[in-house]
Amino acid sequence: MKTRKGTEADLERIKNEDIADCVDEDELRVVEGPATLEGSYDPSGKTVLVLGDLTVHGNVNIEETATLVITGTLRCKNLYLEGNLEVQGATEVAETIFGYYEGGVSDLRGTVTTRVLLIGNHDLVVKKSKLTAQHRFEFDNFQKPKPNKLPEATVREVLSDEAFRHLSDLLGFTEDKSPDVAKAQRLLSKQGFLRATG
């Protein structure tokens, strides 16, 4: 995507105060939207403001060093949340939203639609009345198993076998205190978490 240097006026478009406080005008890059990407998008180490809609035909990976602000609608296949994300319009995710790390905040201000929402200790700000998810699973990162809170059978029906293998520690189904989050992140960014439907 073609970018330009950010301005003071661009900084004022960021509505979330926590995110705005983290953004420096010198590092802000601006995309004049609407913008469409054929592959996946990973703004690691960058601070990007998209003026208008962003459509990504693959996955969006907001890792801990990324800040992405979209003034319109975000559309993508899968969304990984670790760093800072603000979407002022709708968020339309075809498969999975996976929020894991507490380092950033994801402020989704419009309607949010997804097949699966898997949310750990990431700071996800969304109004419940605006959220539509076929399956919603919340978990406490690195905690003891809580089988009554998260039904394992239901999770196994939704997640692929490989995704369940990488995520079972995070979801509290094993006592392992060192789940491989990097493998789960790579799995989501390459193919997704969901069991194939037929």
Side-chain angles (χ1 to χ4, degrees), residues 81-108:
L81 304 173
E82 196 177 285
N84 291 318
L85 173 66
E86 177 182 303
V87 181
Q88 296 172 6
T91 302
E92 301 170 3
V93 179
E95 293 192 4
T96 305
I97 297 174
F98 177 48
Y100 166 71
Y101 187 60
E102 73 274 5
V105 59
S106 295
D107 188 348
L108 309 181

Side-chain angles (χ1 to χ4, degrees), residues 51-117:
L51 300 177
D53 296 346
L54 175 61
T55 301
V56 179
H57 293 288
N59 306 312
V60 175
N61 180 16
I62 308 296
E63 63 91 43
E64 67 178 314
T65 64
T67 296
L68 176 62
V69 177
I70 301 164
T71 64
T73 294
L74 170 63
R75 294 176 189 91
C76 62
K77 182 179 176 186
N78 292 291
L79 177 59
Y80 177 73
L81 304 173
E82 196 177 285
N84 291 318
L85 173 66
E86 177 182 303
V87 181
Q88 296 172 6
T91 302
E92 301 170 3
V93 179
E95 293 192 4
T96 305
I97 297 174
F98 177 48
Y100 166 71
Y101 187 60
E102 73 274 5
V105 59
S106 295
D107 188 348
L108 309 181
R109 294 175 166 249
T111 58
V112 178
T113 56
T114 186
R115 280 184 59 203
V116 173
L117 175 67

Side-chain angles (χ1 to χ4, degrees), residues 84-194:
N84 291 318
L85 173 66
E86 177 182 303
V87 181
Q88 296 172 6
T91 302
E92 301 170 3
V93 179
E95 293 192 4
T96 305
I97 297 174
F98 177 48
Y100 166 71
Y101 187 60
E102 73 274 5
V105 59
S106 295
D107 188 348
L108 309 181
R109 294 175 166 249
T111 58
V112 178
T113 56
T114 186
R115 280 184 59 203
V116 173
L117 175 67
L118 270 165
I119 192 75
N121 62 348
H122 183 73
D123 187 5
L124 176 65
V125 179
V126 60
K127 288 186 178 176
K128 289 183 181 182
S129 63
K130 293 186 174 187
L131 173 63
T132 302
Q134 291 176 8
H135 304 280
R136 182 176 179 162
F137 304 123
E138 297 182 25
F139 59 94
D140 297 324
N141 298 14
F142 306 114
Q143 299 298 313
K144 291 183 179 178
K146 296 184 178 182
N148 294 333
K149 185 176 180 186
L150 195 63
E152 183 174 345
T154 303
V155 176
R156 284 186 180 275
E157 287 176 16
V158 174
L159 299 184
S160 70
D161 292 340
E162 185 179 6
F164 185 84
R165 186 169 56 252
H166 292 305
L167 293 170
S168 61
D169 299 329
L170 285 175
L171 299 176
F173 297 124
T174 67
E175 293 283 351
D176 189 354
K177 296 297 180 191
S178 58
D180 194 337
V181 178
K183 283 185 180 175
Q185 182 184 1
R186 284 192 300 272
L187 176 65
L188 183 67
S189 63
K190 290 196 184 318
Q191 66 191 56
F193 285 159
L194 302 188

Side-chain angles (χ1 to χ4, degrees), residues 11-84:
L11 286 175
E12 292 176 9
R13 293 176 183 264
I14 302 171
K15 298 188 182 305
N16 183 288
E17 290 180 16
D18 291 331
I19 295 175
D21 288 345
C22 297
V23 176
D24 182 3
E25 182 180 338
D26 292 340
E27 59 192 33
L28 181 64
R29 302 302 302 170
V30 178
V31 175
E32 300 284 349
T36 301
L37 294 173
E38 291 304 317
S40 292
Y41 183 53
D42 183 348
S44 297
K46 298 176 185 160
T47 303
V48 179
L49 169 66
V50 178
L51 300 177
D53 296 346
L54 175 61
T55 301
V56 179
H57 293 288
N59 306 312
V60 175
N61 180 16
I62 308 296
E63 63 91 43
E64 67 178 314
T65 64
T67 296
L68 176 62
V69 177
I70 301 164
T71 64
T73 294
L74 170 63
R75 294 176 189 91
C76 62
K77 182 179 176 186
N78 292 291
L79 177 59
Y80 177 73
L81 304 173
E82 196 177 285
N84 291 318

